[in-house]
Amino acid sequence: KHPDQRRGGPRADMVPEIAAAVGFVSSLLRTRGCVSEQQLQVFSGALREALAEHYKHHWFPEKPFKGSGYRCIRINHKMDPIISKAASQIGLSLPQLYQLLPSELTLWVDPYEVSYRIGEDGSICVLYEATATKPVSSYGMLTCKNQMMLGRTSPSKNYIMTVSS
């Protein structure tokens, strides 16, 4: 039996989703090589706490898209305040962050799915995916989701726009 089923329903915690988001942002900082592993650990811890606090009353496993725009982490030539706050814990200034991170990044942290897009019309990549019952994605769920994701625009995920060719 998977530990998620302990409470007899979908899990209410955000641990794997937040871990995926934090790991992704940390890996972006790590690739530039000017942030030490120790700094990255402090940054990851600060970001994890900040996101858990920020999402506390905005996490609906039964309606994963509800609050998606609120939870979305965004850098759009303007730094997301949650990232800049965590970065300030390790002495990274805003100008440094702009150098280290993409100038346009959207990170959606939703129950059962964490995905990101670099650039305003880049493709959307899934970092973490789970279903309510098991932590591996089932193919059937993916196909119906893909139709929704193809025309997805930010910041809300479930807005469907027609893609004109």
Side-chain angles (χ1 to χ4, degrees), residues 4 8 38 48 93 107 125 131:
D4 288 351
Q38 194 187 351
R48 202 166 35 239
S93 66
L107 184 57
C125 305
T131 61

Side-chain angles (χ1 to χ4, degrees), residues 43-64:
F43 171 80
S44 297
L47 187 57
R48 202 166 35 239
E49 277 173 39
L51 291 177
E53 186 56 39
H54 187 62
Y55 297 167
K56 204 162 56 181
H57 304 295
H58 299 268
W59 194 258
F60 313 99
E62 67 290 349
K63 293 191 195 125

